[in-house]
Amino acid sequence: MGQAYQAGVLAALEQEVGWDPRSADVIVGSSAGSVTGAALRIGVAPSDMAAWTTGAPMSPAGAAFFAALDGADADLPVPSATDLLRRWRLPSPALIARTVRRPWALRPTAAASTLLPAGRYDLRERTAVLDELSGGWPGGLWICAARRDHGRRVVFGRAGSPKALLSEAVAASCAIPGYFAPVRIGSREYVDGGVHSPTNADVLVHAHLDTVVVVSSMSAAHGRSGHADAPMRWAMHRRLDQEVRRLRARGTEVIRFEPSAATLDAMGLNAMADDRSDAVVEAAYADAAAHAAEPRTAFRFSALRPSRRSSRAA
């Protein structure tokens, strides 16, 4: 559902606004967003992502890309409560030390991810083809994951971060704790970057960008949801508020997209479902087109078109 939402929003920006997200100076991806970010950097147009998600015709380049991924999107086993009934881990010395040093910096979701049992399903078999398609690590791509031993965020692709293959970083960023197996890169194990933040927009605070475009599939517009996941979506909205404030304090313009009530209805509660993709893409496209047409937002996007010099990020 997250990828369907992202595809709908980005396709609207490409087709209705005239801004191609592939032109962003920096692309940050977390969890499902790591797949979207990698695809953009490899050269896949957002319109092709939306077409692939809904089964519509694609451009020759888009068709070739997704043909190479054939089989990588095969159905995954349905998550089961038994995945969490296996032996949990004790807090690691690294987690305890980090908690003692900076207790205010440790997020509960990140701490919990260090304790969950290892998942059963290895994502690296599905992401390996990305290395062939990319020919190496694409420039301007940052992928967020979390260290399994103490939950700290790691941004692969950013200067000073551990080296990783694109396939490894994407698999790590998508490795939902307790469901997917942690991904070993070097001597460390990593899990889903969403345990720290679904968007991780604040990694761009020191990037000196003019404008940041945030596509947040896990929160809700205005923090409101009429579904059972309302507390989670409100919390993710509040976290995004904090990240946006940090960016704006640095003089960075922020354009944010979050699911409306209609889009949340289309998404439902099962984030792994694939039977509502068409409805989610259509709802997200309509949401984004309407938001981008608002005078203030339209003016901000005008600075991102190729005719104007600007640094930007998605």
Side-chain angles (χ1 to χ4, degrees), residues 118-141:
R120 300 177 185 270
Y121 313 111
D122 192 342
L123 279 173
R124 286 174 295 183
E125 297 176 358
R126 297 166 182 265
T127 61
V129 68
L130 292 175
D131 296 326
E132 301 173 19
L133 293 170
S134 64
W137 190 279
L141 176 64

Side-chain angles (χ1 to χ4, degrees), residues 10 15 20 38 57 72 79 140 160-161 168 170 180 191 198 209 211 280 282 307-308:
L10 296 175
Q15 297 180 351
D20 189 341
S161 294
E168 294 173 333
V170 170
F180 293 122
V191 295
L209 297 165
T211 304
V280 173
E282 291 175 6
S307 59
R308 298 282 298 276

Side-chain angles (χ1 to χ4, degrees), residues 8-69:
V9 171
L10 296 175
L13 299 185
E14 178 193 24
Q15 297 180 351
E16 303 293 334
V17 178
W19 179 63
D20 189 341
R22 293 174 294 181
S23 68
D25 293 337
V26 183
I27 297 176
V28 176
S30 303
S31 200
S34 70
V35 180
T36 301
L40 288 172
R41 273 298 183 245
I42 289 171
V44 181
S47 52
D48 281 331
M49 293 184 198
W52 176 72
T53 303
T54 61
M58 293 178 281
S59 72
F65 174 84
F66 288 110
L69 291 179

Side-chain angles (χ1 to χ4, degrees), residues 19-20 32 50 63 67 87 94 103 116 133 158 175 193 195 269 271 302 309-311:
W19 179 63
D20 189 341
R87 184 177 179 180
L116 287 167
L133 293 170
R158 187 171 66 175
V195 303
L269 295 177
S302 68
R309 293 186 62 187
S310 177
S311 57

